[in-house]
Amino acid sequence: QVQLVESGGGLVQAGGSLRLSCTASGRTASSYVTAWFRQAPEKEREFLSLISYHGGTLYADSVKDRFTISRDNAKNTVYLQMNNLKPEDMAVYYCAAGTGISTMSVPYHYWGQGTQVTVSS
């Protein structure tokens, strides 16, 4: 079992930045692919970015120029640095862990509880 805990969400003005953290615990937690998704009210869950154990990354086109994913394997933590936030970025942000590379939510076995990001205009 792997447990994921997100932190770092909050209220920010448009144009501002936030850094989300996803800390994993449990056996071999750091060996998983870790991804970030978000879900806004009445919208489907949206893939944002993923990172493999060795640091390979993938981004959604909608965020690739503004968001940066990274990981610290010693801390079992994956980060999502979000810059130039826009009102349309407002959502609940989730991290997820799985064994394969995917932009779909289904293959990810483990999910955090989510952290709210609110962007004021």
Side-chain angles (χ1 to χ4, degrees):
Q1 283 282 5
V2 175
Q3 294 79 42
L4 303 174
V5 177
E6 301 103 332
S7 61
L11 173 64
V12 64
Q13 288 188 330
S17 298
L18 284 174
R19 188 178 78 158
L20 305 183
S21 299
C22 173
T23 300
S25 60
R27 187 177 180 183
T28 67
S30 63
S31 64
Y32 286 79
V33 173
T34 304
W36 287 96
F37 291 80
R38 68 185 177 190
Q39 189 164 19
E42 301 182 344
K43 291 190 176 181
E44 293 186 355
R45 190 162 293 189
E46 177 189 11
F47 167 80
L48 301 175
S49 183
L50 64 81
I51 188 166
S52 69
Y53 174 80
H54 295 290
T57 60
L58 183 66
Y59 294 92
D61 288 342
S62 59
V63 303
K64 64 181 179 181
D65 295 328
R66 300 184 295 124
F67 292 7
T68 302
I69 194 170
S70 62
R71 71 187 305 155
D72 183 337
N73 287 335
K75 296 182 179 180
N76 279 345
T77 300
V78 171
Y79 304 98
L80 186 68
Q81 177 68 42
M82 307 187 295
N83 298 327
N84 190 22
L85 284 162
K86 306 174 181 180
E88 51 265 41
D89 293 318
M90 187 160 58
V92 177
Y93 284 66
Y94 299 90
C95 67
T99 56
I101 302 291
S102 177
T103 61
M104 306 297 290
S105 61
V106 171
Y108 290 91
H109 309 294
Y110 305 105
W111 291 81
Q113 81 288 352
T115 185
Q116 176 71 46
V117 171
T118 302
V119 183
S120 63
S121 57

